[in-house]
Amino acid sequence: MAAKATHLLSSYSPTLPKTFENPLNQNSFSKIQTLSLKTTQKWSLSLTVRAILSQNTSFPHCFTKSSDGYLYCEGLKVQEVMDSVEKRPFYLYSKPQITRNFEAYNQALDGLSSIIGYAIKANNNSKILEYLRQLGCGAVLVSGNELRLALHAEFDPTKCIFNGNGKLLKELVLAAEAGVFVNVDSEFDLENIVAAARIAGKKVNVLLRINPDVDPQVHPYVATGNKNSKFGIRNEKLQWFLDSVKAHPNELKLVGAHCHLGSTITKVDIFRDAAVLMVNYIDEIRAQGFEVDYLNIGGGLGIDYYHTGAILPTPRDLIDTVRELVLSRNLKLIIEPGRSLIANTCCLVSRVTGVKTNGTKNFVVIDGSMAELIRPSLYGAYQHIELVSPAPPDAETSTFDVVGPVCESADFLGKDRVLPTPAKGAGLVVHDAGAYCMSMASTYNLRMRPPEYWVEQDGSVTKIRRGETLEDHMQFFEGL
């Protein structure tokens, strides 16, 4: 595979235009609503993540089912939270788990010069962003609005990376003005970056996003690093990009190379394969006189969505598999975790509306839906589902599809789940909902996006996003 890195061909030579005509601080968290809920049980260990390669001590997970049959978040009964907040679906996070997830990466990177760039697309809650920035994260951006949000959350621009295969000129001007890293994804992207640098009057630090053609062995919708992906540049075009950067010394400074393979990756040797290719590219780029300091290996580490105790790689396993390569070239490492930082910190909490049977199918109908959490219907993704409180002793256990009230047969949160038959009004959670759930929520069927809460370190619960209302929707039409 490393042989691919040696082919720097110059036969592809589109031209660039010569000119362009177009011009956390802890106190920062305002507690909108704080619930002093008494911690009813000491925090217990469960669902620990074990390493494939390392012998690191595992850290406990925030959501645990106790022997009393109740689900707890950091020692707090989820049922008590349900009883104390708005009676509608909501997202519940653990702030301590966010901290633990960040520290797993931070400790793994010890000894390396690095940037942990949180992928904002995974979850764009402003309070969560502020907290991750306080912990030390940079930000990975894929739109102009994500860039604006990162700046609002006071992320250090020198720790922010602007990705994307269709960045607009106005977005790139903002990026140039802010001084963030920008990934070059295509010929027209390079043209736009040059134009943005001229408009902003600033040189842009760029990384070349190289498509390494490494199969991440994941769902095709979240695979981004194979040869047929819409992302990145192919190795046979690389020389043209290097020549074009050289031709624009006042607008561009090439500082690194970037790749991103996909998401939900559970084999760290895939990252190693890509890193081998990437350092060979960097060797070739440096040989042409460029001072390249950064290797960005993207994100994509998977988590145990199935809750089967699977032995999955840890952040340390990921970093250790590329550590020597990075050190051998005296590089600064950029990683872009999203899912592995935030997914397992959160559940979608819903209530059972009723139970029904049609034909051979049993259904648990809840007040949550694909509008709040679309991954199962969009990707066929599995997310673990369980009841918040113990079922009645005489409850029959059956196999159910867990569905919502949206007028679509695609409206399901889980299929063929073995559960005790729940009572009307019983609480039910969809686990690992911190990533690509609320950020992909919609108002389909005029279901308004839900509120979000987190459990603080002291066991209190704080609202970190208010739930949307019909009045919010109607405001878009006022005065028209």
Side-chain angles (χ1 to χ4, degrees), residues 167-371:
K167 300 183 286 290
L168 301 177
L169 177 60
K170 63 181 180 181
E171 297 174 327
L172 289 167
V173 171
L174 178 61
E177 291 172 344
V180 305
F181 293 109
V182 178
N183 274 328
V184 178
D185 190 87
S186 66
E187 296 83 9
F188 67 79
D189 196 36
L190 184 58
E191 293 176 6
N192 285 336
I193 296 168
V194 169
R198 291 172 178 167
I199 293 169
K202 290 188 177 182
K203 184 182 291 189
V204 180
N205 290 323
V206 297
L207 295 87
L208 296 179
R209 178 166 181 171
I210 300 172
N211 184 324
D213 193 15
V214 173
D215 181 7
Q217 302 175 34
V218 297
H219 191 289
Y221 286 8
V222 293
T224 58
N226 53 46
K227 66 181 179 181
N228 293 318
S229 171
K230 72 174 184 176
F231 298 101
I233 62 179
R234 294 291 296 133
N235 63 300
E236 62 266 20
K237 299 180 180 180
L238 183 54
Q239 187 62 53
W240 179 86
F241 284 91
L242 296 178
D243 292 341
S244 297
V245 171
K246 285 181 182 178
H248 295 87
N250 296 324
E251 293 86 9
L252 306 175
K253 181 179 181 182
L254 180 58
V255 299
H258 169 268
C259 70
H260 183 83
L261 305 178
S263 194
T264 70
I265 298 170
T266 57
K267 298 178 180 178
V268 292
D269 60 343
I270 293 172
F271 290 99
R272 168 76 183 189
D273 291 345
V276 168
L277 290 173
M278 294 302 293
V279 296
N280 281 320
Y281 285 126
I282 287 173
D283 289 344
E284 295 286 344
I285 294 168
R286 282 176 167 175
Q288 297 193 36
F290 292 97
E291 296 180 3
V292 173
D293 296 322
Y294 291 93
L295 170 62
N296 185 338
I297 61 170
L301 195 63
I303 67 167
D304 183 14
Y305 277 111
Y306 286 86
H307 288 211
T308 57
I311 301 174
L312 296 178
T314 65
R316 182 170 294 278
D317 295 330
L318 168 59
I319 301 306
D320 283 352
T321 199
V322 302
R323 181 182 300 277
E324 292 307 317
L325 282 170
V326 172
L327 290 172
S328 71
R329 304 310 199 276
N330 193 29
L331 289 164
K332 301 173 183 177
L333 182 66
I334 301 175
I335 57 170
E336 302 179 343
R339 184 188 317 274
S340 55
L341 270 180
I342 199 69
N344 71 355
T345 69
C346 176
C347 283
L348 174 66
V349 185
S350 299
R351 288 175 172 79
V352 174
T353 303
V355 176
K356 66 181 291 186
T357 299
N358 273 348
T360 60
K361 276 285 186 181
N362 300 316
F363 298 93
V364 174
V365 183
I366 61 174
D367 60 357
S369 73
M370 66 183 291

Side-chain angles (χ1 to χ4, degrees), residues 107-175:
Q107 293 170 15
L109 288 160
D110 185 47
L112 295 177
S113 179
S114 62
I115 295 173
I116 303 173
Y118 168 67
I120 287 181
K121 65 177 182 173
N123 187 307
N124 55 33
N125 183 290
S126 183
K127 298 302 180 184
I128 291 173
L129 297 184
E130 289 173 4
Y131 185 58
L132 286 169
R133 187 261 302 161
Q134 291 174 26
L135 291 174
C137 274
V140 175
L141 325 158
V142 292
S143 73
N145 282 339
E146 286 191 356
L147 173 54
R148 292 181 180 91
L149 185 59
L151 296 175
H152 177 76
E154 299 183 354
F155 280 93
D156 180 351
T158 65
K159 296 169 70 175
C160 293
I161 305 96
F162 190 18
N163 293 339
N165 69 303
K167 300 183 286 290
L168 301 177
L169 177 60
K170 63 181 180 181
E171 297 174 327
L172 289 167
V173 171
L174 178 61

Side-chain angles (χ1 to χ4, degrees), residues 413-457:
L413 284 302
K415 291 191 171 184
D416 299 321
R417 304 304 177 87
V418 178
L419 296 167
T421 302
K424 181 178 180 180
L428 179 146
V429 299
V430 181
H431 280 281
D432 304 310
Y436 306 104
C437 293
M438 184 59 175
S439 65
M440 299 176 78
S442 74
T443 58
Y444 186 47
N445 283 197
L446 276 186
R447 294 183 55 81
M448 311 316 296
R449 280 180 284 254
E452 296 177 288
Y453 304 85
W454 66 16
V455 178
E456 304 269 8
Q457 283 87 346

